[in-house]
Amino acid sequence: MSKKDIDWGNLGFGYIKTDKRYVANFKDGAWDEGTLTDDNMITITECAGVLQYAQTVFEGLKAYTTVDGRTVAFRPDLNAKRMADSAARLEMPVFPEERFIDAVKKVVAANVDYVPPYGSGATLYLRPFMFGSSAVIGVKPAQEYQFRLFATPVGPYFKGGAKPLTIRVSDFDRAAPHGTGHIKAGLNYAMSLHAIVTAHAEGYDENLYPDSATRTYVEETGGANIIFIKGNKLMTPKSHTILPSITRRSLEYVAEHYLGMEVEEADIPIAEIGQFDECGLCGTAAVISPVGKIVDHGKEICLPSGMTAMGPKTQKLYDTLTGIQMGTIEAPEGWIVEI
Ligand SMILES: *Cc1c(COP(=O)(O)O)cnc(C)c1O
């Protein structure tokens, strides 16, 4: 086997069909044994639960090559657990967590030629997802489901350095107070598309969603959690309606245990963002994207870290977490899973 002839450094973030994907089906109350397949097409009834009532949840994680040439995945157990929580909230059967991790290993191993080499900045992005596949016309959960996990190589998120983003406080809501903001479901993304398209049209990179109940506290963006830094402290919003980002939870651990920072989850009023030194968005794809400016209905809040580079503390967090991922810094127990 040899690596595919791909220009890793210039790959974008898009879908490329790889050799194998994993599929398991749920029928008559049980999951089948699952299998790897070449077939990237899905045939389902026009009345499938996913098509009619959006009964679907997903995950995102990456596999990559470490400095010493190992092929690994980053904390897949947390994705397995989160997908189980997401499925339960949408009345879908849980795909067993140990089988999820097994599927990750099988798909990466079967597509190992697509795992980008160390130093390229590229990774093999893994997309596990589940959907209601049987016919549903009266509103109720489907009887049958499919779990599927495919891989696609993606390029380095920042080509030529991380440019700080400008984000706006959105007039749209992302998550209802007792809704589905805390699960990774396609439905949360469908309704965010209008907000992101209009934000881009108006020159903003992302939407910062306030809490829907009072519109006074910071929650997160459409697809990333938010972090703030003040002095030696890392602060993140405390809320039941934000998605529990694995990157954010990892950064909190790194801040406390590797960098000696204070870490606090608290209500963060939008009116008080001006007090912070640095701000960033965090998620699997970019790890951290620095934020330079937040615009709240015409009022510009410019972070002292500026618009040219990551702030120093953000950079330290980024370097430490990516070092842990790539094997140049010792990882906490269980974070790096070898394929
Ligand atoms: C996936 C996602 C994130 C990032 O989570 P990670 O586990 O760090 O990739 C943040 N917010 C939302 C809404 C998401 O869907």
Side-chain angles (χ1 to χ4, degrees):
M1 301 243 266
S2 60
K3 294 287 176 196
K4 297 285 169 182
D5 184 20
I6 293 174
D7 182 5
W8 306 106
N10 286 309
L11 268 179
F13 196 88
Y15 175 72
I16 292 171
K17 185 189 171 194
T18 51
D19 295 343
K20 303 279 182 189
R21 67 279 304 120
Y22 179 90
V23 181
N25 289 296
F26 182 90
K27 195 177 175 177
D28 300 328
W31 289 103
D32 68 15
E33 68 279 15
T35 184
L36 288 172
T37 171
D38 292 344
D39 192 357
N40 70 329
M41 302 301 278
I42 298 172
T43 303
I44 48 174
T45 166
E46 61 190 354
C47 202
V50 59
L51 299 178
Q52 301 309 322
Y53 303 122
Q55 203 185 12
T56 178
V57 297
F58 70 100
E59 274 302 326
L61 70 159
K62 57 194 183 185
Y64 49 91
T65 309
T66 59
V67 66
D68 54 351
R70 290 174 298 147
T71 301
V72 302
F74 184 69
R75 308 191 79 179
D77 54 316
L78 297 189
N79 296 96
K81 170 73 171 74
R82 191 169 64 188
M83 191 176 209
D85 294 342
S86 298
R89 179 62 178 80
L90 295 193
E91 289 295 330
M92 304 168 81
V94 166
F95 191 68
E97 292 173 40
E98 63 285 358
R99 289 196 59 190
F100 180 107
I101 294 166
D102 182 55
V104 165
K105 291 179 178 171
K106 285 195 164 97
V107 169
V108 175
N111 296 294
V112 74
D113 295 345
Y114 292 92
V115 180
Y118 174 77
S120 64
T123 58
L124 186 69
Y125 184 76
L126 305 175
R127 171 52 59 89
F129 63 112
M130 255 176 73
F131 56 91
S133 53
S134 61
V136 173
I137 195 76
V139 178
K140 60 175 185 293
Q143 294 287 307
E144 297 174 13
Y145 294 85
Q146 182 167 110
F147 170 89
R148 185 174 272 257
L149 196 163
F150 67 80
T152 183
V154 296
Y157 201 85
F158 301 119
K159 294 191 181 108
K163 274 263 162 286
L165 307 177
T166 299
I167 65 178
R168 70 162 181 196
V169 176
S170 177
D171 285 328
F172 298 100
D173 289 331
R174 191 192 84 88
H178 304 282
T180 54
H182 60 300
I183 65 164
K184 212 164 175 75
L187 58 89
N188 290 328
Y189 279 76
M191 61 89 212
S192 76
L193 296 176
H194 180 64
I196 194 64
V197 168
T198 53
H200 287 167
E202 292 165 32
Y204 301 102
D205 297 301
E206 273 294 345
N207 285 297
L208 176 59
Y209 292 100
D211 73 292
S212 299
T214 70
R215 303 195 67 79
T216 51
Y217 298 106
V218 176
E219 292 251 298
E220 63 170 324
T221 67
N225 280 185
I226 192 159
I227 61 171
F228 292 100
I229 287 159
K230 185 184 184 181
N232 196 40
K233 188 186 214 178
L234 171 66
M235 282 191 76
T236 62
K238 187 181 178 67
S239 164
H240 295 298
T241 56
I242 66 175
L243 198 281
S245 157
I246 294 163
T247 313
R248 189 252 305 158
R249 288 180 274 162
S250 301
L251 288 168
E252 288 173 337
Y253 186 92
V254 163
E256 187 179 342
H257 297 276
Y258 284 70
L259 302 178
M261 295 174 73
E262 201 184 323
V263 174
E264 190 186 3
E265 293 183 9
D267 286 337
I268 300 176
I270 293 169
E272 292 174 20
I273 294 174
Q275 66 171 310
F276 292 111
D277 303 327
E278 302 175 31
C279 174
L281 306 181
C282 62
T284 293
V287 183
I288 310 177
S289 305
V291 172
K293 192 193 286 187
I294 302 172
V295 181
D296 180 11
H297 301 90
K299 184 180 150 215
E300 293 199 349
I301 303 156
C302 297
L303 280 300
S305 50
M307 293 302 289
T308 51
M310 271 193 197
K313 285 260 161 41
T314 305
Q315 187 75 53
K316 262 243 156 307
L317 283 164
Y318 179 86
D319 290 345
T320 308
L321 183 53
T322 53
I324 287 169
Q325 291 180 331
M326 293 300 164
T328 59
I329 297 173
E330 191 176 348
E333 181 80 30
W335 280 25
I336 307 297
V337 173
E338 210 162 321
I339 305 301

